[in-house]
Amino acid sequence: LYPRKIHDKTFSSLDRCMIHSTTFSQNDLAAVCGLATLEVLREENLVENSARMGEYLIEKLKVLAEKYELIQEVRGKGLMIAIEFGAPRSLALKTGWKMIHRIDQDLFCQSILVPLIMDHHILAQVSGHGQDIIKLIPPLVFDQADADRFIAAFEEVLEKAHRFPGPIWEVGSRLAKAALR
């Protein structure tokens, strides 16, 4: 889907008809990089590490889910992990949950993610618009020390988030004010 003049310049003859059939087609450097990547994955057992560290992280997160009512579910495969939040049972937290969701569906996760990055230098992301799910996709070289550091930081953020109005309302208020400006 491009203008005719681009088509004519790019695919001007039969020998140029496959000039862009795929991004890495006919690219020796890309093939060498791909082979080197596969070799590192095998030599350093990164797939096995991903499975092992993912299980370890999910196990630790499920312990936190039992302790903190804002966590509804923890799931994942390897090091692709989702932490889903849901409406809490306690009245004070439920009030805060409803208030922040009335302002904007996306503010709750941001109120968890902002302290993670600002206070702990840990980058995580929301899984999508209007979802109360944070996704963790750490690198394949993620190790137990990294996992323990994340769990400690995440628990600190969760502990503060379970106080109302607390950081959820503070971060949510800041983000809402910025959005309204």
Side-chain angles (χ1 to χ4, degrees):
L1 299 174
Y2 34 79
R4 172 56 70 186
K5 70 179 188 177
I6 301 291
H7 177 271
D8 291 344
K9 285 183 181 181
T10 306
F11 306 100
S12 57
S13 65
L14 189 57
D15 64 323
R16 293 184 50 84
C17 71
M18 294 297 288
I19 193 89
H20 188 57
S21 61
T22 70
T23 301
F24 298 112
S25 168
Q26 303 172 2
N27 184 332
D28 294 340
L29 180 59
V32 169
C33 292
L35 291 171
T37 299
L38 292 173
E39 184 67 19
V40 169
L41 287 169
R42 187 183 58 75
E43 281 183 12
E44 296 184 17
N45 298 311
L46 294 180
V47 173
E48 294 81 1
N49 182 66
S50 173
R52 188 175 54 258
M53 287 296 96
E55 286 177 21
Y56 179 79
L57 199 51
I58 288 171
E59 180 183 307
K60 296 288 186 183
L61 287 166
K62 286 184 176 182
V63 169
L64 292 181
E66 292 174 15
K67 185 175 178 182
Y68 296 100
E69 63 180 292
L70 285 168
I71 299 177
Q72 183 175 331
E73 183 183 7
V74 175
R75 59 186 178 273
K77 182 155 180 84
L79 283 172
M80 296 186 300
I81 298 170
I83 304 166
E84 184 170 355
F85 298 93
R89 294 173 303 280
S90 65
L91 183 60
L93 285 176
K94 193 182 292 187
T95 301
W97 175 270
K98 287 180 181 178
M99 287 171 58
I100 204 162
H101 280 82
R102 272 192 212 118
I103 294 169
D104 189 299
Q105 279 295 116
D106 297 318
L107 284 180
F108 176 79
C109 281
Q110 296 304 325
S111 70
I112 299 293
L113 294 172
V114 169
L116 271 177
I117 193 149
M118 299 299 287
D119 300 340
H120 303 282
H121 309 288
I122 293 173
L123 178 63
Q125 297 174 307
V126 66
S127 70
H129 180 67
Q131 297 180 6
D132 291 310
I133 303 170
I134 290 174
K135 64 180 176 180
L136 306 177
I137 309 174
L140 297 177
V141 294
F142 193 78
D143 62 20
Q144 189 168 336
D146 296 325
D148 291 339
R149 180 175 169 268
F150 171 77
I151 291 297
F154 189 60
E155 183 166 23
E156 184 179 309
V157 170
L158 282 173
E159 191 174 299
K160 290 177 182 175
H162 278 75
R163 288 186 242 134
F164 181 76
I168 291 176
W169 184 248
E170 291 167 18
V171 171
S173 297
R174 265 189 271 145
L175 291 172
K177 286 175 188 172
L180 293 173
R181 278 189 230 133

